[in-house]
């Protein structure tokens, strides 16, 4: 065993080789030393386990090839781009919505340059970083002001922490939702230091339930949009308009957590209806919170619109600084919102709405092209078909609603062959992510962006 260990070269010897000198120039001396030691330790373990010297120890070229691969891997970003063919357009695990070209341009510009983030150029003095978004939200929703944080859960936390700490918040039992990652509305309330008061039952809540629960310690009447589930049958709920009227009787504000939230009428786009922010503002809701990276089609953000007085209080709370967005997100969000000033072009400009509104005929054509590209790659083990599919919006938006779509399905006599193919798809420079159903692997065209790039990749690989 000692004779085998003696064949392992020293770090000093390795660093004198020409290959090592070149690697040190590209990746720094200390990193090359560190990775060389890791390879040598691997060699020691190999000798212990196999009583033999690994080939990369006896062959300098192989050693430095392994070392170069390790160093290259260190410099590569592990969050890879993927092609989403799952049929879920806003797939949380795949990064949700895609930004518009203008949003990407605005974000890139902010990355590369100083920007007037908290500076009023005309006045030559400090301003607030949310001002640009606030002005746009006034135009788009009719709200008096807006506040921006890093996601909608943070928006809810900020509202509750600012106005309801040590007080009671009344919510219908049927609206105590759990969002992704086992994150629950009651948990946010507990973190904010307020007391949750549940009223009604899971399927039926009446106005009198709220009225009877109001005490001198009540801070809010709260509505939570049940975006990720739907109850049918013997149901009853209280609208924002009714709650606002009740709130006025007791001088209590009403807040609404819309979750996804939309600034455009989905029905006008032949999509399932989703509550609009403008509707809640018009109903008199004091504060409305929603996400920036779902139906809005922008970057991850939590947006709160409503009463100017209350928004100003939110801006002064210490948590706001903890939860605020940086110049890149705010630039991308502003660019996204500016698309809504031109509603006739909204489905062209915003990738999310573009994907959701594609016609079945367009998807059919894409499916035919994808099938042809795959046919050139796959052998007779696999059977390719074009089939109708049902896609979904995703990220908790309208979970009970599906969208007509088209998919290329792949089947095989052995399930192991399908699993092997899925594994192969994941090794591509941009992995292809589909879904398994009915003993087939489905590649749904509704959710895939950059379709031409997908075809180009398949032709090259």
């Amino acid at each position: 065993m000692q004779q085998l260990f003696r064949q392992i070269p020293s770090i000093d010897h390795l660093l004198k080789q020409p290959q090592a000198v070149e690697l040190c120039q590209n990746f720094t001396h200390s990193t090359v030393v560190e990775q060389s030691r890791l390879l040598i330790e691997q060699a020691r373990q190999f000798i212990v386990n196999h009583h033999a010297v690994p080939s990369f120890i006896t062959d300098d070229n192989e050693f430095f090839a392994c070392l170069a691969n390790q160093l290259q891997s260190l410099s590569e970003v592990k969050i890879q781009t993927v092609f989403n063919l799952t049929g879920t357009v806003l797939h949380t695990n795949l990064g949700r919505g895609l930004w518009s070209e203008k949003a990407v341009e605005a974000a890139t510009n902010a990355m590369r340059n100083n920007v007037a983030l908290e500076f009023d150029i005309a006045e030559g003095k400090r301003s607030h970083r949310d001002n640009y978004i606030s002005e746009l939200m006034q135009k788009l929703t009719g709200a008096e002001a807006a506040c921006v944080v890093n996601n909608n859960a943070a928006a809810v936390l900020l509202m509750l922490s600012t106005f309801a700490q040590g007080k009671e918040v009344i919510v219908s039992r049927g609206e105590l939702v759990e969002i992704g990652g086992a994150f629950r509305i009651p948990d946010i309330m507990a973190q904010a230091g307020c007391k949750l008061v549940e009223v009604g039952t899971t399927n039926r809540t009446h106005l009198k339930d709220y009225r009877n629960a109001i005490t001198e310690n009540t801070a809010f009447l709260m509505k939570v949009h049940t975006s990720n589930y739907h109850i049918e049958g013997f149901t009853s709920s209280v609208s924002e308009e009714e709650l606002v009227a009740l709130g006025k009787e007791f001088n209590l504000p009403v807040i609404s957590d819309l979750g996804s939230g939309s600034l455009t009428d989905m029905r006008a786009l032949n999509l399932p209806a989703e509550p609009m922010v403008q509707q809640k503002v018009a109903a008199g809701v004091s504060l409305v919170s929603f996400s920036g990276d779902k139906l809005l089609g922008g970057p991850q953000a939590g947006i709160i619109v409503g009463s100017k007085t209350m928004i100003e209080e939110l801006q002064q709370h210490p948590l706001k600084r903890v939860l605020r967005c940086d110049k890149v997100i705010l630039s991308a969000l502003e660019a996204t919102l500016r698309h809504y000033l031109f509603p006739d072009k909204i489905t062209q400009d915003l990738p999310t709405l573009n994907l959701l509104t594609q016609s079945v005929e367009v998807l059919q054509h894409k499916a035919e092209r994808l099938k042809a590209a795959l046919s050139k790659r796959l052998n007779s083990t696999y059977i390719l078909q074009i089939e109708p599919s049902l896609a979904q919006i995703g990220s908790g938006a309208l979970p009970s609603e599906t969208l007509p779509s088209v998919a290329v399905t792949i089947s095989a006599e052995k399930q192991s062959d399908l699993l092997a193919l899925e594994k192969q798809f994941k090794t591509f420079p941009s992995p292809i992510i589909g879904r398994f159903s009915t003993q087939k692997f489905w590649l749904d065209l509704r959710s895939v962006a950059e379709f031409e790039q997908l075809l180009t990749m398949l032709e090259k690989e």
Side-chain angles (χ1 to χ4, degrees), residues 1 4-5 43-54:
M1 186 78 74
L4 296 178
F5 282 134
R44 293 181 182 279
Q45 289 300 317
F46 187 92
I47 292 171
V48 170
N49 296 331
H50 302 282
H51 299 282
V53 178

Side-chain angles (χ1 to χ4, degrees), residues 95-116:
R96 292 184 180 162
L98 307 177
W99 296 7
S100 72
E101 286 303 315
K102 285 190 175 180
V104 172
E105 182 181 341
T108 304
N109 183 58
M111 291 177 197
R112 290 183 173 142
N113 302 286
N114 289 120
V115 295

Side-chain angles (χ1 to χ4, degrees), residues 395-440:
S395 290
L398 302 167
S400 61
E401 302 284 353
T402 56
L403 305 175
S405 189
V406 181
V408 174
T409 64
I410 309 174
S411 56
E413 186 174 333
K414 297 179 181 178
Q415 186 72 4
S416 58
D417 289 330
L418 274 185
L419 293 172
L421 180 62
E422 183 206 23
K423 187 175 182 179
Q424 180 187 348
F425 281 166
K426 290 178 178 178
T427 64
F428 288 170
S430 291
I432 297 173
I433 312 297
R435 72 175 190 268
F436 280 101
S437 179
T438 62
Q439 303 298 309
K440 297 178 181 180

Side-chain angles (χ1 to χ4, degrees), residues 57-241:
I57 289 298
T58 58
D59 184 335
D60 279 358
N61 289 331
E62 186 176 346
F63 179 88
F64 285 108
C66 292
L67 180 58
N69 286 337
Q70 286 190 188
L71 291 165
Q72 187 62 41
S73 178
L74 283 177
S75 64
E76 290 175 351
V77 176
K78 295 299 186 288
I79 299 180
Q80 292 178 269
T81 59
V82 301
F83 290 106
N84 175 14
L85 288 106
T86 63
T88 300
V89 175
L90 294 174
H91 199 302
T92 298
N93 304 136
L94 301 182
R96 292 184 180 162
L98 307 177
W99 296 7
S100 72
E101 286 303 315
K102 285 190 175 180
V104 172
E105 182 181 341
T108 304
N109 183 58
M111 291 177 197
R112 290 183 173 142
N113 302 286
N114 289 120
V115 295
L117 179 66
E118 294 181 354
F119 183 74
D120 187 320
I121 296 175
E123 297 292 331
K125 62 182 182 181
R126 180 171 182 159
S127 65
H128 197 283
R129 66 176 58 201
D130 289 355
N131 281 355
Y132 300 110
I133 305 302
S134 190
E135 290 172 6
L136 279 167
M137 279 301 176
Q138 290 174 49
K139 293 180 182 179
L140 295 171
T141 70
E144 295 177 355
C147 171
V148 186
V149 289
N150 65 340
N151 62 32
N152 188 52
V156 175
L157 177 65
L158 180 60
M159 291 190 295
L160 295 173
S161 297
T162 303
F163 298 107
Q165 194 168 55
K167 297 184 178 181
E168 299 173 349
V169 178
I170 303 174
V171 186
S172 168
R173 183 170 282 111
E175 297 174 5
L176 297 177
V177 299
E178 177 180 300
I179 57 180
F183 200 63
R184 301 174 175 178
I185 288 292
D187 295 337
I188 301 177
M189 290 195 173
Q191 188 65 40
C194 56
K195 180 182 178 182
L196 166 65
V197 178
E198 302 177 32
V199 296
T201 61
T202 302
N203 61 319
R204 290 179 69 81
T205 301
H206 305 283
L207 188 62
K208 65 181 180 181
D209 295 320
Y210 290 94
R211 181 184 294 275
N212 293 338
I214 293 173
T215 70
E216 61 183 15
N217 199 38
T218 301
F220 280 137
L221 303 177
M222 184 175 182
K223 286 285 291 183
V224 180
H225 177 45
T226 54
S227 58
N228 61 357
Y229 78 97
H230 179 67
I231 298 176
E232 294 183 349
F234 192 55
T235 65
S236 176
S237 62
V238 179
S239 69
E240 275 86 349
E241 289 86 351

Side-chain angles (χ1 to χ4, degrees), residues 148-155 293 299-303 322-325 329:
V148 186
V149 289
N150 65 340
N151 62 32
N152 188 52
D293 60 338
Q300 178 177 297
I303 305 166
V322 175
L323 302 172
R324 70 181 183 177
C325 295
I329 294 299

